[in-house]
Amino acid sequence: MRIVAEYPSVDFKITVFSWNGKYLLKIEKGMFEQTYKISEMDITGDEEVKKIIEDPVFVEEIKTRFKNMNQSLNDALNRI
């Protein structure tokens, strides 16, 4: 597995890996992470990966998913 790029931002850290015919987008925020696997056959290269990462709708959905993950964990902790 090799690191293709890193995109630090105010909201989270994004690391792009190339591995086994796929791009892996690893997005981290605090103790949570999301990973997306994209086949190298589905895109033409690193520039298209960057376009995905910069897509404002995708970024907002990532933020919402992190909020939901945090809420789910807090709810579970409150039930025990």
Side-chain angles (χ1 to χ4, degrees), residues 28-45:
E28 302 172 85
K29 181 173 180 149
M31 59 188 206
F32 299 106
E33 72 178 46
Q34 299 174 42
T35 302
Y36 298 85
K37 296 178 183 178
I38 305 168
S39 172
E40 289 179 354
M41 300 289 217
D42 291 340
I43 56 177
T44 60

Side-chain angles (χ1 to χ4, degrees), residues 68-80:
N68 292 340
M69 292 169 74
N70 185 53
Q71 186 64 52
S72 293
L73 179 60
N74 285 332
D75 291 349
L77 290 171
N78 288 330
R79 287 190 296 271
I80 57 173

Side-chain angles (χ1 to χ4, degrees), residues 41-57:
M41 300 289 217
D42 291 340
I43 56 177
T44 60
D46 298 354
E47 285 303 312
E48 284 193 3
V49 172
K50 187 174 181 181
K51 287 179 184 178
I52 292 169
I53 292 168
E54 293 174 344
D55 178 57
V57 174

Side-chain angles (χ1 to χ4, degrees), residues 1-8 13-20 22-28 40 45-46 49 53:
M1 186 177 321
R2 73 177 177 88
I3 296 176
V4 174
E6 292 183 330
Y7 299 96
K13 176 185 171 189
I14 300 173
T15 307
V16 179
F17 298 94
S18 177
W19 179 70
N20 204 21
K22 295 179 183 68
Y23 286 101
L24 280 72
L25 310 180
K26 180 178 176 184
I27 303 147
E28 302 172 85
E40 289 179 354
D46 298 354
V49 172
I53 292 168

